[in-house]
Amino acid sequence: MLKEIQVPFYPSAANCLAWSKDGELAIAAGEHVHILVPKRGNTAKSKGVQDANPWVAVRFRVNSFTTEEWPMQEPASFEDFSIGEEQSLGIVTALSWSAPGLAKHRRSVLAVLTSNLVLSLWESKTDPKEQDSWERVLVVNQSLREYFFQNDDETDTSKSGEGLLRRKTRIRASAWAEPMRWDGNHGNLSYQSRWGMFLLAVTNDNRDIIFLRVASPYSMEFGRSDSWNVMAWWHGRALPSTDEESQAVLPSLLSATMAKKRFIRDLAWSPWQFPKYRDATLTYQCGGNLYSLRVVFFSRPFRITAGFENTWILIREPSGVSTHVTAVASRDAVNLRVMSIDEKLNTHNNRTYRHQLRTKADRWTHARGETETVMMHPWDQVSGFAICEDPDAADIYLYITTHLSHLEVLKYTPTGTPTNHDGLQTWSTCATSLLQSRMSDCRAKFDHTHDLGGLSVMKTWGLASLGGYVAACVTMHPGDMVEYTTQSLERSTILFGEIDYQKRNFPWEKVTDHAITEAEAQARILDAIFAQEPIQDGFERSSLTNKIIYAAACASMLLRDAGRFGRLERAEGALRNLESVTGYHFEPEIACIERLRTLEHVNSSDLIIEVRSSTQCMSKEYYLDTPAAFRTHEMCSICGECIGWDSLDAACCISGHLFVRCALTFLTIQEPAVSKYCENCEREYLDEQFLLDPAKHDDGPREEEFQRPIVKVYKEVVQEGSAGFQMEAFNDVIPEVVEEKDVDDPSLARVLFSTFDTCIYCGGKFLG
């Protein structure tokens, strides 16, 4: 059970909550964004749930822009002006998280839309719990302006063209699509197959819909991209031509003018379907009408087509299919679109529902006492809705709330489930819910504290869901008097509800099952290194690659598992290959491997002594006089002595200086601020940005300067041995012809950090 959280502000917009897959809960707080970051690892496990505060609050300002990010906007003409763009304070009006994988350490990116119609992307550079780590990385409006200026003939340098360009640059709404994932050739494991390609749909003041592909320095294969960028892949009118023509013929000038000011404010994506090409539906509302745009994505060649969808396939839903619900809210109703996907038959069923909110009958009597009217619809508009899925029962729960806290919970039961016996899709209303009772308790507490005698009002500002949890942001107000308050007295409450709190993981707990032991994880890493080692012969080997291969050979001597004999054979072959490449001889290490291959059982202490004596037999003078040794061995940065091997987790030189080993490369971490660590198990890793940066990482003296060749970007499949890992050496998604350019070789370190981009031991994300 999650306790309620109080935050010191009033929300600045309806639907003010956004909950990421990593557990961060963002709240729109005027000129700021307030984020509740869950505590993880030993911090959260050390105390009980009832005693510990599971959240860390972070708050940062989002409406301050430099002139490079967003220049000052001059007043526009009467036809093109916008009060929000020119005069608003830039308060937060909408928040949305991307799927994990786009930001650093494979985290989510936060899209923030402000009242000046500017959409910006934010990410955490190091630790989400630190305020200074949050930075604005991209302003989407800049990319829209460049795209329309270069590709739209109507947006010329004339006065009318400049006004049209400004309208097309203003962003009214945005929505992240589900990442498009696919396997490369032969099912190889790549960034695209694990995290996918990120697509963002936005609408502007000209009622256009634009599909943008968002790429980051961390979202390209092997880190090929150097900066954040947005590429527009498709744009078109949001309304069919028949609807636009009907709006052009209106009974009055006022009606015609108001029709032009009907903007799209809500977008909702369906999931992508079918393996060969991606097919999804974008649902949105404009002028009280619901529209659906069918989007088809083709990967070869890369293109997107879209068309309006006016017909629905109403057929019986087969058993064993996945069901997805898309919702778009109007003033007092919610339009639902249920999609059932049969992946085996490559078919999908679409159904639409419209749920009208109902309240208790309020009786109104005219002053003359002649007529009595029963009002069945709520007066206030829908301020939030959230969709929760119950994985145990395959049921879907839809939470809908209005601004004055009228909450309804709908339960959708697909066919073929144990709870559905009639074989039909059913919607049912839940009479009670845990969230509703907690909202009533919060209102009663406020009423009792201020002695209002039941005349208190609760306002709900938004809902958000994660797994089996649903969160609501509410504020309390007196109902029989004028409320006067200052900013220091503003308070909002975050309430939590669960479908079944006995079966739910808490947000800071590990969401996915990662059943793997430490020895199995280390074996997978070593198998991946030895599988990649022969491929490195096609490129100029750096000292970093040689040190990783040598470390893997030494680690194979200490790792005792079922596959150690085959791994020792590969380690011996890797060392002999290193001898031919570097000219340095590894007689002690090879002799130790040959002795270990003849022993079925070996004592742990004897094994450590044997390996340490064979790997710590180099003097400092010999190391400094031998360039080949400099390119294969690690020495202590404090005293310069040799570092031997007696553990896969820690290292110690002859003088007794202790270091931690990287959990991925098994190299020693000898400097501060060059590492990262897992937020769950707290294992330490070398930071690939430091390790792969030639300006920061010293590869040592080379016998001759290596000139990188000019090569074309191509795709090469790399098989990674018995562990079953496969990698793709270059980016599988190239949306346009790539010219010849200077690229880095797919070094062993780059391949390792791109493949194991989350903690292999527990599946957690990195910090630092």
Side-chain angles (χ1 to χ4, degrees):
M1 180 184 298
L2 287 176
K3 289 185 176 181
E4 63 183 46
I5 302 293
Q6 274 203 350
V7 290
F9 56 83
Y10 283 159
S12 57
N15 201 16
C16 65
L17 296 180
W19 211 341
S20 73
K21 295 287 185 63
D22 295 325
E24 291 92 356
L25 181 60
I27 313 167
E31 299 179 357
H32 299 78
V33 170
H34 193 93
I35 299 181
L36 299 177
V37 183
K39 296 179 181 178
R40 301 178 186 272
N42 296 332
T43 304
K45 298 175 183 177
S46 60
K47 298 181 180 180
V49 176
Q50 299 293 334
D51 301 329
N53 179 14
W55 306 100
V56 175
V58 180
R59 190 179 184 184
F60 51 89
R61 190 172 181 177
V62 297
N63 66 339
S64 297
F65 298 88
T66 64
T67 54
E68 294 182 356
E69 293 175 335
W70 189 243
M72 293 291 295
Q73 301 298 310
E74 298 293 335
S77 62
F78 177 77
E79 295 180 352
D80 304 318
F81 86 100
S82 170
I83 296 178
E85 180 187 52
E86 299 176 13
Q87 299 184 20
S88 73
L89 297 177
I91 62 174
V92 181
T93 58
L95 298 171
S96 61
W97 291 96
S98 71
L102 183 58
K104 187 178 181 181
H105 301 322
R106 301 303 181 231
R107 295 187 176 274
S108 301
V109 169
L110 179 62
V112 181
L113 181 63
T114 48
S115 59
N116 57 348
L117 308 182
V118 175
L119 180 66
S120 55
L121 304 183
W122 291 74
E123 71 156 342
S124 174
K125 293 290 187 181
T126 54
D127 189 348
K129 295 186 289 294
E130 297 178 0
Q131 178 178 344
D132 295 338
S133 69
W134 289 92
E135 296 181 6
R136 182 189 291 112
V137 295
L138 189 67
V139 176
V140 180
N141 302 62
Q142 292 277 33
S143 301
L144 280 187
R145 185 178 182 87
E146 295 176 3
Y147 171 74
F148 282 114
F149 184 77
Q150 297 175 1
N151 298 277
D152 196 338
D153 297 334
E154 297 180 358
T155 56
D156 51 20
T157 56
S158 63
K159 188 175 181 179
S160 60
E162 179 63 25
L164 179 60
L165 180 61
R166 291 185 64 167
R167 293 202 308 271
K168 291 191 173 186
T169 304
R170 301 167 186 155
I171 296 178
R172 286 286 175 175
S174 66
W176 292 96
E178 183 180 296
M180 290 183 287
R181 301 181 178 91
W182 59 83
D183 295 330
N185 292 344
H186 309 291
N188 56 295
L189 181 65
S190 65
Y191 176 87
Q192 305 299 340
S193 62
R194 185 172 185 184
W195 302 108
M197 185 170 58
F198 295 85
L199 202 65
L200 180 67
V202 299
T203 63
N204 57 20
D205 260 10
N206 200 47
R207 288 191 290 193
D208 296 328
I209 293 181
I210 307 99
F211 298 145
L212 306 170
R213 190 233 172 148
V214 182
S216 70
Y218 329 102
S219 65
M220 304 296 286
E221 199 71 39
F222 302 127
R224 294 269 172 208
S225 178
D226 296 329
S227 60
W228 288 81
N229 62 83
V230 170
M231 180 182 297
W233 274 7
W234 183 90
H235 83 278
R237 300 293 294 170
L239 301 181
S241 57
T242 55
D243 289 14
E244 291 189 348
E245 292 173 0
S246 63
Q247 290 186 6
V249 183
L250 291 172
S252 66
L253 293 177
L254 178 61
S255 300
T257 304
M258 295 302 297
K260 294 180 181 179
K261 299 300 181 182
R262 294 173 182 170
F263 304 114
I264 302 171
R265 302 185 184 275
D266 294 308
L267 298 170
W269 280 94
S270 72
W272 297 98
Q273 310 162 42
F274 308 134
K276 294 183 179 180
Y277 60 89
R278 299 300 186 267
D279 187 345
T281 301
L282 180 67
T283 306
Y284 54 92
Q285 188 170 257
C286 182
N289 298 321
L290 188 67
Y291 298 93
S292 293
L293 195 67
R294 184 186 178 191
V295 182
V296 182
F297 173 80
F298 299 91
S299 58
R300 289 174 177 81
F302 290 90
R303 66 187 189 277
I304 284 181
T305 62
F308 290 98
E309 195 173 78
N310 297 320
T311 59
W312 308 100
I313 306 173
L314 301 176
I315 60 177
R316 183 166 178 152
E317 179 182 345
S319 59
V321 301
S322 58
T323 304
H324 304 272
V325 176
T326 303
V328 176
S330 58
R331 188 185 184 281
D332 57 356
V334 174
N335 299 288
L336 305 172
R337 187 175 192 271
V338 180
M339 176 182 298
S340 303
I341 303 174
D342 190 339
E343 297 179 355
K344 295 182 179 179
L345 300 178
N346 286 342
T347 60
H348 68 282
N349 307 332
N350 296 318
R351 292 171 302 279
T352 56
Y353 303 90
R354 178 177 176 87
H355 177 71
Q356 181 69 51
L357 298 180
R358 302 287 183 179
T359 62
K360 296 180 180 179
D362 297 326
R363 300 188 179 277
W364 297 82
T365 305
H366 286 281
R368 291 175 291 181
E370 297 176 355
T371 307
E372 188 179 69
T373 306
V374 179
M375 304 297 295
M376 294 299 296
H377 305 313
W379 287 61
D380 50 328
Q381 65 180 5
V382 174
S383 61
F385 54 87
I387 299 174
C388 296
E389 297 184 6
D390 188 354
D392 299 330
D395 295 331
I396 299 176
Y397 293 84
L398 176 64
Y399 289 76
I400 310 170
T401 182
T402 64
H403 190 50
L404 294 180
S405 303
H406 171 70
L407 178 68
E408 291 189 14
V409 182
L410 303 179
K411 179 182 178 181
Y412 176 76
T413 304
T415 59
T417 59
T419 57
N420 192 343
H421 303 288
D422 56 2
L424 298 176
Q425 304 88 5
T426 59
W427 282 97
S428 58
T429 303
C430 300
T432 60
S433 65
L434 188 58
L435 181 61
Q436 180 65 63
S437 62
R438 291 180 179 175
M439 293 172 66
S440 301
D441 293 342
C442 182
R443 178 178 177 179
K445 186 188 301 183
F446 178 84
D447 188 88
H448 177 73
T449 302
H450 297 277
D451 194 18
L452 296 176
L455 297 175
S456 58
V457 176
M458 172 183 285
K459 296 181 180 180
T460 305
W461 295 85
L463 299 175
S465 62
L466 175 64
Y469 277 89
V470 60
C473 180
V474 300
T475 57
M476 303 302 303
H477 309 272
D480 64 339
M481 64 186 70
V482 177
E483 182 181 16
Y484 174 79
T485 183
T486 60
Q487 188 174 3
S488 60
L489 299 177
E490 293 180 355
R491 294 292 183 272
S492 300
T493 305
I494 310 298
L495 302 173
F496 298 93
E498 306 92 25
I499 298 175
D500 187 353
Y501 68 90
Q502 296 180 350
K503 299 180 181 179
R504 297 293 138 221
N505 289 328
F506 292 102
W508 59 84
E509 292 181 339
K510 191 167 48 180
V511 179
T512 58
D513 295 331
H514 197 83
I516 184 174
T517 63
E518 181 180 17
E520 291 174 344
Q522 292 170 344
R524 290 188 182 185
I525 296 172
L526 295 176
D527 290 341
I529 293 176
F530 291 136
Q532 185 68 208
E533 185 268 338
I535 303 173
Q536 298 297 314
D537 293 340
F539 306 100
E540 176 71 10
R541 285 196 180 187
S542 64
S543 63
L544 178 60
T545 297
N546 296 331
K547 289 178 181 179
I548 293 176
I549 295 174
Y550 176 76
C554 296
S556 300
M557 304 180 202
L558 294 171
L559 185 61
R560 297 187 298 173
D561 63 337
R564 70 185 186 95
F565 291 106
R567 195 174 300 110
L568 287 173
E569 182 179 356
R570 279 177 285 171
E572 180 181 352
L575 289 179
R576 295 190 184 279
N577 195 16
L578 269 183
E579 286 184 340
S580 61
V581 172
T582 62
Y584 183 82
H585 298 285
F586 300 93
E587 290 89 352
E589 291 87 350
I590 294 177
C592 180
I593 291 176
E594 291 176 346
R595 287 193 298 271
L596 293 177
R597 290 175 59 187
T598 60
L599 300 176
E600 285 289 340
H601 304 285
V602 59
N603 186 271
S604 299
S605 58
D606 296 338
L607 175 65
I608 293 175
I609 295 174
E610 179 78 13
V611 175
R612 185 174 183 85
S613 61
S614 62
T615 57
Q616 202 176 42
C617 56
M618 184 190 303
S619 64
K620 179 169 63 175
E621 291 76 12
Y622 180 81
Y623 175 78
L624 295 176
D625 294 338
T626 309
F630 195 96
R631 299 185 62 185
T632 55
H633 289 70
E634 287 188 288
M635 306 299 285
C636 178
S637 60
I638 301 175
C639 62
E641 296 292 345
C642 181
I643 298 178
W645 273 83
D646 52 14
S647 171
L648 275 71
D649 302 322
C652 180
C653 70
I654 298 177
S655 303
H657 298 121
L658 295 174
F659 304 101
V660 176
R661 290 194 180 275
C662 171
L664 180 59
T665 63
F666 303 110
L667 301 178
T668 55
I669 303 175
Q670 303 188 33
E671 298 180 24
V674 297
S675 63
K676 59 185 180 182
Y677 63 94
C678 175
E679 63 181 356
N680 286 334
C681 64
E682 299 184 354
R683 284 183 171 87
E684 196 166 1
Y685 294 73
L686 282 168
D687 190 352
E688 65 272 19
Q689 290 188 338
F690 166 81
L691 204 61
L692 300 175
D693 189 352
K696 298 180 180 179
H697 182 74
D698 185 11
D699 280 348
R702 298 190 178 185
E703 297 178 0
E704 58 182 359
E705 187 68 18
F706 172 68
Q707 300 293 332
R708 299 188 183 276
I710 303 297
V711 299
K712 288 185 177 181
V713 176
Y714 64 97
K715 187 174 70 174
E716 176 184 356
V717 177
V718 178
Q719 180 71 32
E720 270 206 15
S722 61
F725 288 98
Q726 294 178 331
M727 287 167 263
E728 192 172 71
F730 291 94
N731 186 18
D732 190 30
V733 177
I734 307 174
E736 57 184 0
V737 178
V738 181
E739 301 295 336
E740 293 186 353
K741 60 179 181 179
D742 186 11
V743 298
D744 294 331
D745 298 329
S747 64
L748 178 57
R750 192 182 296 276
V751 171
L752 279 179
F753 282 104
S754 296
T755 304
F756 304 105
D757 48 11
T758 57
C759 181
I760 187 176
Y761 298 89
C762 69
K765 301 291 181 68
F766 295 121
L767 300 176

